[in-house]
């Protein structure tokens, strides 16, 4: 597909995309599980922003799709840019095709200015998600955005507006929605096989650690622009676990996930890391997509963090059964548990066996490329990513304040609590604006 034809289709179909985004989507949809684009022969040229460990996995998955051409990457760490170029060339070679020249940028805005890039994959640390994605919308790029959607609730509100006002396809990396075991669990709940749902357990993990600024600074690796990595957040010391160093000679990749996700000033702890997955499934199952709870009660002694919804359902953030991260729906007639690579139910009509292959997530990345080509809504559009992310964030706020909060999911505000409301965003620093 020529660049001009792709742009023309995008222009002609924007009004349909906007209408779909603002209207009600089907409660449940099922993604294809193959790696064949819906419109054979058409290409989507991808640029990657944030080239760490998660990006390497996404690169492998997207490059399996013959409709994808990866042509650009951006990161503030030089060696990661070099690794990205080498890995991309290897994947093109495995395809049996010549690799194009890979454009590498220190500043992601240079990538966004590249007219050859159709869409971007954003796999940066959480505190960068909102600003990068909004800039991508303004540049007219479609977006695959890693979860959680944004770092603050206000960023999420602004990103929803930016996506819709610029007619952008934005898919959230909540890939569990494309997995058959999670889809089956939600379908059984929504079809009423458990009867009326009373309680949902979501095992995700705790809130974030203290701020990273409380730790002793260490030497910044050569080639890493630490000031640019910190970006809009308050200045903080460099620690290797925030942006794990890598090497190309000898080859040494990250030994752990970037610990920025565990610290309060750059991430939301396991509440946002796993909560963005499990709260997403819980809200999908109980029909609260694009909405949220009306009350949050922080954990107190033996009482776990609890969300209460307007329909009376309570979601408890606590381990259940085998204690793995997952979701348990409990109804009048029985229960369903679902997690990565597992599914079970006490109700015979809900029981089903899944093959190992069915537990994969490749269909989620295919769905994004199909959505870009066909100008359709992806499996997880921006509004759903925002509502899920908001649940994570307001849970952390309730925990930090140590008191119950009343939440209006429609207005997206705390009722009568000025202090809690000030925590829905922060003032950008170091010259950044949103």
């Amino acid at each position: 597909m020529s660049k001009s034809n792709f742009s023309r289709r995008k222009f002609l179909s924007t009004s349909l995309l906007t209408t779909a985004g603002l209207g009600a989507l089907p409660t449940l949809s099922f993604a294809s599980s193959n790696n064949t684009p819906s419109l054979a022969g058409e290409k989507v040229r991808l640029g990657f922003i944030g080239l760490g460990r998660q990006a390497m996995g996404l690169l492998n998955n997207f490059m399996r799709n013959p409709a994808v051409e990866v042509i650009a990457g951006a990161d503030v760490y030089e060696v990661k840019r070099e690794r990205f170029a080498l890995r991309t060339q290897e994947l093109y070679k495995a395809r049996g095709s010549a690799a194009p020249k890979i454009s590498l940028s220190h500043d992601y805005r240079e990538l966004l200015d590249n007219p050859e890039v159709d869409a971007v994959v954003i796999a940066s640390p959480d505190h960068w998600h909102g600003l990068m994605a909004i800039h991508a919308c303004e540049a007219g790029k479609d977006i695959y955005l890693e979860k959680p959607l944004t770092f603050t609730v206000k960023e999420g509100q602004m990103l929803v507006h930016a996506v819709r006002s610029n007619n952008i396809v934005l898919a959230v990396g909540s890939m569990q929605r494309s997995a058959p075991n999670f889809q089956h669990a939600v379908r059984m709940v929504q079809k009423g096989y458990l009867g009326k749902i009373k309680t949902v357990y979501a095992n995700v993990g705790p809130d974030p650690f203290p701020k990273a600024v409380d730790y002793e600074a260490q030497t910044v690796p050569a080639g890493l622009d630490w000031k640019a990595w910190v970006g809009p957040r308050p200045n903080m010391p460099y620690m290797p676990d925030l942006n794990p160093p890598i090497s190309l000679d000898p080859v040494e990749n990250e030994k752990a996930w970037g610990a920025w996700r565990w610290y309060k000033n750059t991430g939301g702890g396991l509440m946002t890391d796993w909560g963005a997955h499990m709260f997403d499934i819980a809200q999908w199952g109980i029909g609260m997509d694009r909405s949220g709870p009306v009350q949050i009660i922080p954990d107190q002694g033996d009482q776990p963090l609890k969300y209460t919804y307007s329909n009376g359902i309570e979601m408890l953030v606590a381990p259940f059964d085998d204690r793995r991260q997952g979701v348990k729906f409990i109804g009048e007639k029985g229960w369903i548990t679902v997690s990565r690579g597992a599914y079970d139910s006490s109700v015979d009509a809900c029981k089903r066996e899944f093959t190992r292959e069915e537990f994969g997530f490749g269909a989620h990345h295919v769905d994004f490329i199909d959505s870009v080509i066909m100008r359709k809504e992806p499996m997880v559009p921006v509004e759903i990513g925002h509502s899920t992310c908001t649940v994570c964030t307001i849970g952390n706020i309730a925990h930090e304040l140590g008191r119950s909060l009343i939440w209006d999911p429609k207005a997206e505000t705390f009722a009568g609590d000025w202090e809690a409301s000030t925590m829905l965003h922060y003032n950008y620093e170091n010259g950044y604006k949103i």
Side-chain angles (χ1 to χ4, degrees):
M1 188 184 208
S2 71
K3 184 72 178 178
S4 59
N5 284 342
F6 186 95
S7 299
R8 182 173 180 272
R9 168 175 286 174
K10 185 172 182 179
F11 173 77
L12 292 174
S13 62
T14 51
S15 60
L16 295 176
L17 179 63
T18 304
T19 301
L22 296 177
L25 292 177
T27 304
L28 192 64
S29 60
F30 295 86
S32 62
S33 59
N34 58 57
N35 284 324
T36 303
S38 297
L39 299 176
E42 300 189 3
K43 302 290 185 181
V44 176
R45 299 174 180 88
L46 290 183
F48 278 67
I49 299 175
L51 306 179
R53 181 175 175 177
Q54 181 66 11
M56 293 301 98
L58 293 171
L59 175 64
N60 290 337
N61 283 337
F62 277 112
M63 283 289 286
R64 292 191 182 104
N65 191 331
V68 168
E69 291 183 351
V70 175
I71 65 170
D75 198 285
V76 298
Y77 197 178
E78 182 180 16
V79 68
K80 290 186 177 179
R81 296 196 298 270
E82 295 172 355
R83 178 181 65 177
F84 175 79
L86 292 172
R87 187 74 59 85
T88 303
Q89 291 166 357
E90 291 170 358
L91 291 170
Y92 272 109
K93 183 177 180 180
R95 274 186 177 184
S97 59
K101 181 179 180 181
I102 307 300
S103 174
L104 299 176
S105 305
H106 167 277
D107 190 331
Y108 72 92
R109 289 168 291 193
E110 293 180 6
L111 185 151
L112 294 179
D113 288 338
N114 186 341
E116 294 303 311
V117 173
D118 299 313
V120 295
V121 176
I122 299 177
S124 58
D126 292 355
H127 69 281
W128 269 110
H129 282 190
L131 193 57
M132 287 177 169
I134 289 172
H135 286 163
C137 289
E138 294 170 348
K141 311 298 185 185
D142 295 318
I143 306 164
Y144 182 94
L145 179 59
E146 266 302 324
K147 58 77 198 169
L149 188 79
T150 56
F151 188 59
T152 73
V153 173
K154 181 180 177 180
E155 286 175 338
Q157 294 167 341
M158 297 182 71
L159 180 54
V160 170
H161 175 75
V163 167
R164 295 309 171 191
S165 61
N166 289 284
N167 302 303
I168 298 299
V169 172
L170 185 148
V172 186
S174 299
M175 72 275 195
Q176 289 181 170
R177 290 211 180 204
S178 297
N181 60 324
F182 286 98
Q183 292 182 340
H184 182 69
V186 168
R187 179 167 56 184
M188 294 298 96
V189 170
Q190 292 184 350
K191 285 184 173 291
Y193 283 94
L194 300 185
K196 184 178 180 181
I197 299 298
K198 299 178 179 179
T199 305
V200 180
Y201 278 88
N203 184 20
V204 302
D207 54 306
F209 299 151
K211 295 181 180 181
V213 293
D214 297 333
Y215 296 83
E216 184 178 349
Q218 298 187 39
T219 302
V220 178
L224 171 59
D225 186 342
W226 183 243
K227 183 178 180 180
W229 187 93
V230 172
R233 297 298 288 144
N235 293 326
M236 66 188 77
Y238 169 75
M239 297 187 301
D241 63 344
L242 288 176
N243 192 333
I246 66 170
S247 172
L248 296 180
D249 185 19
V251 174
E252 185 173 326
N253 295 311
E254 296 91 341
K255 295 180 179 179
W257 293 105
W260 46 261
R261 68 197 69 213
W262 312 133
Y263 293 104
K264 182 179 174 182
N265 51 339
T266 51
L270 287 168
M271 273 288 289
T272 58
D273 194 54
W274 276 104
H277 285 303
M278 299 310 169
F279 296 158
D280 183 63
I281 298 301
Q283 290 209 142
W284 188 22
I286 64 176
M288 284 294 163
D289 271 349
R290 304 168 186 258
S291 185
V294 295
Q295 184 180 35
I296 312 100
I297 302 176
D299 55 309
Q300 300 171 351
D302 294 334
Q303 172 65 46
L305 176 69
K306 180 171 70 175
Y307 298 94
T308 303
Y309 291 82
S310 59
N311 56 11
I313 295 174
E314 294 181 345
M315 181 169 69
L316 303 178
V317 183
F320 59 88
D321 303 341
D322 63 3
R323 303 180 70 85
R324 75 173 71 193
Q325 281 96 353
V327 178
K328 183 172 187 177
F329 297 98
I330 303 174
E332 298 169 314
K333 300 177 182 179
W335 52 263
I336 287 175
T337 61
V338 62
S339 58
R340 300 278 179 91
Y343 171 87
D344 196 11
S345 177
S346 65
V347 178
D348 288 341
C350 297
K351 292 183 180 298
R352 182 184 159 183
E353 297 291 331
F354 294 90
T355 65
R356 183 175 181 178
E357 290 73 21
E358 288 181 289
F359 287 130
F361 301 113
H364 202 65
H365 307 125
V366 175
D367 175 68
F368 170 62
I369 299 303
D370 285 353
S371 298
V372 169
I373 292 173
M374 295 188 292
R375 312 311 301 163
K376 70 178 184 68
E377 281 289 76
M379 173 69 77
V380 188
V382 65
E383 290 87 359
I384 291 176
H386 174 53
S387 62
T388 297
C389 184
T390 296
V391 175
C392 303
T393 303
I394 62 179
N396 274 340
I397 292 173
H399 178 89
E400 182 170 348
L401 293 176
R403 62 172 181 268
S404 298
L405 300 173
I406 302 300
W407 178 252
D408 182 337
K410 186 174 181 179
E412 296 185 328
T413 58
F414 290 111
D417 196 317
W418 176 85
E419 184 179 15
S421 295
T422 63
M423 301 171 74
L424 296 176
H425 193 54
Y426 69 95
N427 293 323
Y428 281 14
E429 297 193 17
N430 302 315
Y432 290 90
K433 298 179 181 180
I434 190 171

